[in-house]
Amino acid sequence: MKYAPKKVFILSGNNYREISYEELCRLLENKNSPYAEKFFIPLHGMLMEVTYSVYKDFYKDKRHQKYLYEQSKKNKDISYDMFTTDAFKGEDILIDRNEDVATQVENKIMQDKLHRALLLLTEDEQNLMRLHFFENMSQIEIAKSCGLNQSNISRRIGKILSKLKNLMEN
Protein backbone atom coordinates (compact mmCIF):
# COMPACT_ATOMS: atom_id res chain seq x y z
CA MET A 1 0.00 0.00 0.00
CA LYS A 2 1.23 3.48 -0.84
CA TYR A 3 -0.30 5.08 2.24
CA ALA A 4 -1.47 3.68 5.53
CA PRO A 5 -5.28 3.53 5.47
CA LYS A 6 -7.25 5.89 7.69
CA LYS A 7 -9.38 3.08 9.07
CA VAL A 8 -9.57 -0.70 8.96
CA PHE A 9 -12.82 -2.59 9.27
CA ILE A 10 -12.78 -6.23 10.28
CA LEU A 11 -15.66 -8.64 10.42
CA SER A 12 -16.72 -9.44 13.92
CA GLY A 13 -19.65 -11.84 13.68
CA ASN A 14 -22.08 -10.28 11.19
CA ASN A 15 -20.92 -6.72 11.86
CA TYR A 16 -17.84 -4.67 11.10
CA ARG A 17 -15.58 -3.40 13.83
CA GLU A 18 -13.15 -0.53 13.33
CA ILE A 19 -9.52 -0.93 14.30
CA SER A 20 -6.39 1.06 13.51
CA TYR A 21 -3.99 0.08 10.76
CA GLU A 22 -1.24 -0.35 13.35
CA GLU A 23 -3.43 -2.78 15.25
CA LEU A 24 -4.01 -4.79 12.06
CA CYS A 25 -0.24 -4.86 11.41
CA ARG A 26 0.34 -6.19 14.94
CA LEU A 27 -2.32 -8.86 14.40
CA LEU A 28 -0.69 -9.90 11.10
CA GLU A 29 2.80 -10.16 12.66
CA ASN A 30 1.69 -13.24 14.55
CA LYS A 31 1.96 -16.21 12.18
CA ASN A 32 -0.88 -18.01 13.99
CA SER A 33 -3.21 -15.01 13.75
CA PRO A 34 -6.57 -15.72 12.13
CA TYR A 35 -6.09 -12.48 10.15
CA ALA A 36 -3.21 -14.00 8.17
CA GLU A 37 -5.89 -15.88 6.18
CA LYS A 38 -8.30 -12.93 5.80
CA PHE A 39 -8.89 -10.85 2.68
CA PHE A 40 -8.96 -7.04 2.59
CA ILE A 41 -9.74 -4.56 -0.15
CA PRO A 42 -8.97 -0.84 -0.19
CA LEU A 43 -12.01 1.44 -0.30
CA HIS A 44 -11.79 5.24 -0.14
CA GLY A 45 -8.57 5.24 1.86
CA MET A 46 -9.72 2.47 4.19
CA LEU A 47 -9.26 -1.31 4.34
CA MET A 48 -12.26 -3.55 4.59
CA GLU A 49 -12.29 -7.26 5.33
CA VAL A 50 -14.29 -9.18 2.73
CA THR A 51 -15.00 -12.74 1.69
CA TYR A 52 -12.72 -14.48 -0.78
CA SER A 53 -15.28 -14.23 -3.60
CA VAL A 54 -15.67 -10.46 -3.10
CA TYR A 55 -11.86 -10.10 -2.94
CA LYS A 56 -11.43 -12.16 -6.11
CA ASP A 57 -14.14 -10.22 -8.01
CA PHE A 58 -12.71 -6.87 -6.86
CA TYR A 59 -9.21 -7.60 -8.16
CA LYS A 60 -10.50 -9.29 -11.30
CA ASP A 61 -12.44 -6.12 -12.13
CA LYS A 62 -9.43 -3.97 -11.22
CA ARG A 63 -7.17 -5.99 -13.56
CA HIS A 64 -9.79 -5.74 -16.31
CA GLN A 65 -10.02 -1.95 -15.92
CA LYS A 66 -6.21 -1.70 -16.01
CA TYR A 67 -6.12 -3.84 -19.16
CA LEU A 68 -8.75 -1.65 -20.84
CA TYR A 69 -6.84 1.48 -19.85
CA GLU A 70 -3.58 0.09 -21.25
CA GLN A 71 -5.24 -0.94 -24.50
CA SER A 72 -6.86 2.45 -24.80
CA LYS A 73 -3.52 4.16 -24.20
CA LYS A 74 -1.80 1.86 -26.71
CA ASN A 75 -4.46 2.57 -29.36
CA LYS A 76 -4.45 6.28 -28.51
CA ASP A 77 -8.20 6.18 -27.91
CA ILE A 78 -10.02 9.22 -26.67
CA SER A 79 -13.01 8.75 -24.45
CA TYR A 80 -15.44 11.30 -23.10
CA ASP A 81 -14.91 9.60 -19.72
CA MET A 82 -11.46 11.20 -19.72
CA PHE A 83 -13.18 14.56 -19.17
CA THR A 84 -15.23 13.44 -16.16
CA THR A 85 -14.46 15.28 -12.94
CA ASP A 86 -16.29 15.76 -9.65
CA ALA A 87 -18.00 18.85 -11.07
CA PHE A 88 -18.50 17.75 -14.69
CA LYS A 89 -19.72 14.63 -16.46
CA GLY A 90 -17.63 13.90 -19.56
CA GLU A 91 -20.60 12.70 -21.56
CA ASP A 92 -22.18 16.16 -21.26
CA ILE A 93 -19.78 17.40 -23.93
CA LEU A 94 -21.37 15.11 -26.48
CA ILE A 95 -23.82 16.83 -28.76
CA ASP A 96 -25.89 14.73 -31.07
CA ARG A 97 -25.71 16.69 -34.29
CA ASN A 98 -27.22 13.88 -36.31
CA GLU A 99 -30.87 14.06 -37.09
CA ASP A 100 -32.79 10.84 -37.13
CA VAL A 101 -33.36 9.27 -40.54
CA ALA A 102 -37.06 10.14 -40.60
CA THR A 103 -36.29 13.85 -40.09
CA GLN A 104 -33.61 13.75 -42.80
CA VAL A 105 -36.03 12.13 -45.27
CA GLU A 106 -38.78 14.59 -44.38
CA ASN A 107 -36.41 17.56 -44.87
CA LYS A 108 -35.26 16.21 -48.25
CA ILE A 109 -38.87 15.76 -49.41
CA MET A 110 -39.70 19.33 -48.33
CA GLN A 111 -36.61 20.70 -50.13
CA ASP A 112 -37.60 18.88 -53.33
CA LYS A 113 -41.17 20.21 -53.08
CA LEU A 114 -39.89 23.75 -52.49
CA HIS A 115 -37.53 23.52 -55.46
CA ARG A 116 -40.36 22.34 -57.77
CA ALA A 117 -42.69 25.05 -56.41
CA LEU A 118 -40.08 27.78 -56.98
CA LEU A 119 -39.80 26.71 -60.61
CA LEU A 120 -43.56 27.28 -61.03
CA LEU A 121 -43.29 30.95 -60.00
CA THR A 122 -43.06 33.72 -62.58
CA GLU A 123 -39.63 35.18 -63.35
CA ASP A 124 -40.40 38.33 -61.31
CA GLU A 125 -41.59 36.24 -58.32
CA GLN A 126 -38.47 34.06 -58.51
CA ASN A 127 -36.27 37.16 -58.66
CA LEU A 128 -37.95 38.69 -55.61
CA MET A 129 -37.52 35.41 -53.62
CA ARG A 130 -33.86 35.17 -54.70
CA LEU A 131 -33.12 38.76 -53.62
CA HIS A 132 -34.86 38.50 -50.26
CA PHE A 133 -34.11 34.93 -49.13
CA PHE A 134 -30.95 33.92 -50.96
CA GLU A 135 -29.09 37.24 -51.20
CA ASN A 136 -30.45 38.40 -47.82
CA MET A 137 -31.57 41.81 -49.09
CA SER A 138 -33.99 43.63 -46.81
CA GLN A 139 -37.41 44.64 -48.07
CA ILE A 140 -36.29 48.28 -47.95
CA GLU A 141 -33.24 47.55 -50.12
CA ILE A 142 -35.37 45.64 -52.64
CA ALA A 143 -37.94 48.45 -52.69
CA LYS A 144 -35.25 51.03 -53.47
CA SER A 145 -33.76 48.92 -56.28
CA CYS A 146 -37.22 48.34 -57.82
CA GLY A 147 -38.49 51.90 -57.33
CA LEU A 148 -41.35 50.74 -55.05
CA ASN A 149 -42.14 51.29 -51.41
CA GLN A 150 -41.40 48.72 -48.71
CA SER A 151 -45.08 47.92 -47.99
CA ASN A 152 -45.63 46.87 -51.63
CA ILE A 153 -42.61 44.55 -51.46
CA SER A 154 -43.84 43.12 -48.15
CA ARG A 155 -47.30 42.38 -49.62
CA ARG A 156 -45.77 40.80 -52.75
CA ILE A 157 -43.49 38.58 -50.66
CA GLY A 158 -46.47 37.55 -48.50
CA LYS A 159 -48.53 36.62 -51.60
CA ILE A 160 -45.62 34.68 -53.10
CA LEU A 161 -45.12 32.76 -49.85
CA SER A 162 -48.84 31.88 -49.78
CA LYS A 163 -48.58 30.75 -53.40
CA LEU A 164 -45.54 28.60 -52.56
CA LYS A 165 -47.36 27.05 -49.62
CA ASN A 166 -50.32 26.12 -51.83
CA LEU A 167 -48.02 24.73 -54.53
CA MET A 168 -46.17 22.59 -51.99
CA GLU A 169 -49.39 21.21 -50.47
CA ASN A 170 -50.57 19.95 -53.87
Side-chain angles (χ1 to χ4, degrees):
M1 274 194 121
K2 290 181 184 177
Y3 305 101
K6 298 174 193 169
K7 301 176 183 179
V8 177
F9 293 94
I10 59 171
L11 277 172
S12 183
N14 289 334
N15 297 318
Y16 281 97
R17 183 171 60 95
E18 182 180 336
I19 63 171
S20 69
Y21 181 67
E22 292 76 22
E23 192 176 345
L24 177 65
C25 290
R26 280 193 301 276
L27 289 170
L28 292 174
E29 285 174 358
N30 181 353
K31 293 179 184 176
N32 297 329
S33 171
Y35 290 97
E37 304 285 324
K38 302 291 181 175
F39 299 95
F40 294 87
I41 60 172
L43 290 173
H44 309 292
M46 300 177 278
L47 277 180
M48 180 169 252
E49 181 183 348
V50 294
T51 64
Y52 175 71
S53 64
V54 171
Y55 176 86
K56 185 176 145 189
D57 290 344
F58 176 83
Y59 281 101
K60 182 180 177 183
D61 185 54
K62 196 168 182 169
R63 277 192 310 275
H64 181 69
Q65 290 300 321
K66 184 178 179 186
Y67 169 78
L68 292 176
Y69 173 77
E70 289 168 352
Q71 291 299 309
S72 181
K73 191 174 178 181
K74 177 182 160 188
N75 296 329
K76 298 180 180 164
D77 294 338
I78 296 176
S79 169
Y80 61 83
D81 290 333
M82 296 165 65
F83 301 106
T84 298
T85 64
D86 291 339
F88 181 76
K89 249 174 104 175
E91 65 189 45
D92 291 343
I93 65 170
L94 299 177
I95 300 171
D96 185 10
R97 297 190 192 281
N98 296 326
E99 298 177 82
D100 64 331
V101 176
T103 303
Q104 290 177 6
V105 169
E106 187 177 306
N107 287 341
K108 180 65 176 149
I109 290 169
M110 292 304 288
Q111 288 173 358
D112 290 344
K113 281 184 175 185
L114 178 59
H115 180 72
R116 285 193 303 271
L118 285 169
L119 293 175
L120 297 173
L121 296 177
T122 66
E123 191 175 323
D124 287 341
E125 291 170 333
Q126 287 179 15
N127 188 41
L128 187 54
M129 292 290 99
R130 181 183 51 76
L131 292 173
H132 188 59
F133 292 104
F134 298 103
E135 294 183 19
N136 294 320
M137 286 180 70
S138 70
Q139 292 179 2
I140 294 171
E141 292 170 327
I142 296 169
K144 285 180 184 176
S145 70
C146 295
L148 301 169
N149 63 32
Q150 184 267 329
S151 61
N152 285 344
I153 296 298
S154 179
R155 272 195 299 279
R156 286 183 70 191
I157 289 173
K159 286 180 182 179
I160 296 168
L161 290 175
S162 294
K163 183 177 180 181
L164 281 172
K165 183 179 175 187
N166 289 333
L167 290 169
M168 288 177 67
E169 287 174 352
N170 295 329

